Amino acid sequence: MQFNSIEFLFYFLPVFLAAYSFLPQRARSTVLVLGSLVYYAIASNGNYWWVLLLVGITVLAYLAGLTMIKSGKAGLLWAYLACLAAVLVFFKVYAGGRYLPSGMSFYLFQIAAYLIDIHQSRDDVQYLREVTFKCDIGKNFLSFASQIVMFPKLLSGPLMNPAELRKQHENAQLNGSNIRSGLQMLILGLGFKVLLANRLGGLWAQAGVTGYDSVSVPFAWVALIAYSMQLYFDFYGYSLMAMGLGKMMGYDLPRNFDSPYASKTVSEFYRRWHMTLGRWFRDYLYVPLGGNRNGTIKTIFNLAVVWLFTGLWHGVGGNYLIWAGFLFFLIANERLWLGKIMKKSRVICHIYVVFVILLSWVPFAVGDWTDMICFLGRLFGISGTTVTHLDFVYKGMEYLPMLIAGVVFATPAPRKLWEKIRDTFAADLIILGLFWVVVYYISTAAQDPFMYFQY
């Protein structure tokens, strides 16, 4: 059951919100935990052991936090983190990740942040310090569990600072303004997913159907642009939906995207793309390693470590390591010398960033090494024997409106305009119309899962 499904929009969500809204405040943690587990069970497509694994990991994480608080031993943190890493590596490596439970990377990272914050006393854990195994453990566990398994962010984030999430949990407010704002974000996210990401995915699929060695150079680039937009609007749409669902429950989940394609450097791009994952690696890996405080060579080494783990987080396949290595090379060169040159021309900066980011998506889009080399060759016209020269005309033109819309909505302008009108009656009419258009497309098309669920 995806967020972009009739079952979720017309059955699960109304029932959950009704129970969450009308039951007393003290019961909301229970409703959120049970509702999230039901959602995860339905979304697991019959892999109900995923739910048991999620519950088991959450219970062990809570007990681990209690044990660390009571003992104060630093070695316990490393033991717990090693266990979490072992679980993730097992599922990532075992059968090529085929049995990887949806969302595991995200909730394991959330738990790791919680344990690290306890160890470093960055989180206000007084509510846990007052708990012993003899009193109130049930109430506090439900509060903790609701923050870990919260269904809007369970499968693909956004990752959130544990202390901030706990504070919001204690002060979550249900009111008409939050519900209205949340519905707007939910429906806008649905629009990006259903009307842009899913349909642009069809253009990228055409390249695979034709064969990577047979597409023309123009069509190879058009297809790659379509893939980059599919990936962006798929994940951006999901993040907006998560924010909207959280808002309706009284939570302000953080933004995950900030118009990344408007960036002037690759470093800036990844400060704007999947922002919460980037902050996680910054706060829990890059800064503890020393960040940029110990000279250029150490900084470059720290960046290499961060990008190595970023690649491994996405998967153990060589394509992800190629992706991460390429981006590390670009960012390191920007820090060493290229950044100074790029500052001289704003236009050249933007062209450069879009060009290299498009190239970086090739290992994501084409996982097989042979196909990857073949497709890169077609991008630069140095391979292929049976090229269809006019394919970009009779295939690309069909998707031209979506490509134009994708380019426009990848800029900051539409969001800035929406922020000016979102409190007006006209905005409500736009949202209402968009909702029924989206429902029509959902009801007439095959279910298309979110791309980041595989991580």
Side-chain angles (χ1 to χ4, degrees):
M1 181 173 60
Q2 313 283 334
F3 290 170
N4 58 319
S5 68
I6 298 297
E7 293 79 10
F8 177 81
L9 294 172
F10 288 96
Y11 299 101
F12 176 85
L13 185 58
V15 171
F16 171 82
L17 288 177
Y20 189 82
S21 301
F22 294 117
L23 288 176
Q25 175 79 27
R26 63 181 180 275
R28 285 180 184 161
S29 290
T30 303
V31 173
L32 184 51
V33 170
L34 292 178
S36 297
L37 293 179
V38 169
Y39 172 80
Y40 196 49
I42 297 173
S44 68
N45 295 319
N47 295 307
Y48 300 120
W49 63 270
W50 289 3
V51 181
L52 297 176
L53 182 66
L54 174 61
V55 172
I57 290 174
T58 304
V59 171
L60 290 176
Y62 181 74
L63 296 177
L66 286 176
T67 306
M68 288 173 60
I69 290 168
K70 291 168 72 69
S71 69
K73 294 181 180 179
L76 289 176
L77 172 67
W78 294 108
Y80 293 138
L81 292 181
C83 290
L84 294 179
V87 171
L88 186 59
V89 169
F90 173 78
F91 282 104
K92 288 274 189 179
V93 175
Y94 180 62
R98 183 173 56 181
Y99 300 112
L100 177 69
S102 294
M104 170 170 275
S105 298
F106 288 94
Y107 63 74
L108 288 184
F109 267 38
Q110 191 76 62
I111 289 171
Y114 163 77
L115 296 176
I116 293 170
D117 280 1
I118 286 180
H119 171 67
Q120 298 184 346
S121 299
R122 288 197 296 214
D123 190 4
D124 175 12
V125 293
Q126 186 61 33
Y127 78 107
L128 269 179
R129 294 185 185 280
E130 296 171 354
V131 174
T132 68
F133 289 98
K134 296 180 181 179
C135 68
D136 243 3
I137 190 171
K139 175 182 175 182
N140 287 282
F141 171 72
L142 284 172
S143 175
F144 167 77
S146 67
Q147 298 162 51
I148 297 298
V149 306
M150 183 190 300
F151 74 87
K153 67 177 188 62
L154 177 62
L155 297 182
S156 287
L159 293 166
M160 195 168 180
N161 177 275
E164 176 59 28
L165 184 57
R166 185 182 65 80
K167 292 174 184 176
Q168 289 197 29
H169 177 76
E170 293 175 350
N171 300 291
Q173 297 294 322
L174 293 176
N175 55 56
S177 177
N178 282 345
I179 292 175
R180 178 173 181 264
S181 179
L183 278 172
Q184 287 183 342
M185 286 188 281
L186 174 65
I187 294 168
L188 287 173
L190 280 168
F192 285 134
K193 164 63 176 171
V194 175
L195 303 181
L196 281 180
N198 289 359
R199 302 192 71 192
L200 286 167
L203 178 54
W204 167 250
Q206 290 292 327
V209 171
T210 302
Y212 298 125
D213 61 340
S214 299
V215 296
S216 66
V217 172
F219 185 68
W221 281 104
V222 169
L224 185 58
I225 291 170
Y227 176 83
S228 71
M229 291 182 180
Q230 178 194 11
L231 185 64
Y232 173 59
F233 288 112
D234 187 281
F235 200 13
Y236 179 36
Y238 175 89
S239 298
L240 274 178
M241 283 182 258
M243 290 172 63
L245 292 167
K247 192 72 172 178
M248 285 189 277
M249 291 184 284
Y251 292 87
D252 286 315
L253 301 183
R255 275 198 302 168
N256 234 354
F257 293 88
D258 183 16
S259 304
Y261 283 99
S263 302
K264 298 183 288 296
T265 65
V266 176
S267 299
E268 182 185 357
F269 182 91
Y270 276 98
R271 287 194 297 271
R272 292 166 169 246
W273 175 283
H274 207 340
M275 296 158 65
T276 59
L277 180 65
R279 282 197 291 267
W280 195 99
F281 277 112
R282 180 196 66 194
D283 293 343
Y284 298 106
L285 186 57
Y286 182 67
V287 171
L289 286 172
N292 58 1
R293 300 189 300 271
N294 299 308
T296 301
I297 294 177
K298 187 62 166 63
T299 299
I300 297 301
F301 173 79
N302 294 341
L303 286 171
V305 173
V306 168
W307 277 102
L308 172 62
F309 277 92
T310 303
L312 292 173
W313 179 86
H314 282 86
V316 295
N319 57 316
Y320 296 115
L321 294 179
I322 292 171
W323 167 79
F326 180 58
L327 291 170
F328 161 70
F329 172 79
L330 296 173
I331 291 172
N333 275 282
E334 287 179 358
R335 186 174 288 271
L336 290 172
W337 61 275
L338 189 58
K340 298 177 181 178
I341 298 175
M342 291 171 61
K343 290 179 181 178
K344 297 179 180 180
S345 173
R346 190 180 185 90
V347 174
I348 292 177
C349 286
H350 287 305
I351 294 174
Y352 162 79
V353 169
V354 171
F355 175 73
V356 296
I357 290 298
L358 284 176
L359 289 181
S360 75
W361 293 134
V362 174
F364 256 67
V366 188
D368 180 78
W369 175 256
T370 303
D371 288 341
M372 193 187 311
I373 295 298
C374 178
F375 186 72
L376 284 169
R378 292 311 308 137
L379 288 173
F380 297 100
I382 56 176
S383 68
T385 55
T386 57
V387 174
T388 308
H389 295 288
L390 295 179
D391 51 2
F392 72 97
V393 175
Y394 60 80
K395 291 183 179 178
M397 291 300 292
E398 177 185 351
Y399 294 89
L400 185 60
M402 279 80 78
L403 287 168
I404 294 173
V407 170
V408 171
F409 282 103
T411 68
R415 192 185 73 206
K416 292 179 180 178
L417 176 61
W418 177 255
E419 288 174 352
K420 292 180 179 179
I421 69 168
R422 64 183 179 185
D423 293 327
T424 65
F425 180 66
D428 292 333
L429 290 178
I430 292 171
I431 288 297
L432 181 62
L434 177 62
F435 175 73
W436 288 112
V437 171
V438 166
V439 168
Y440 169 77
Y441 274 95
I442 291 174
S443 64
T444 58
Q447 187 65 254
D448 200 341
F450 290 92
M451 299 171 76
Y452 258 73
F453 280 7
Q454 62 185 299
Y455 306 120

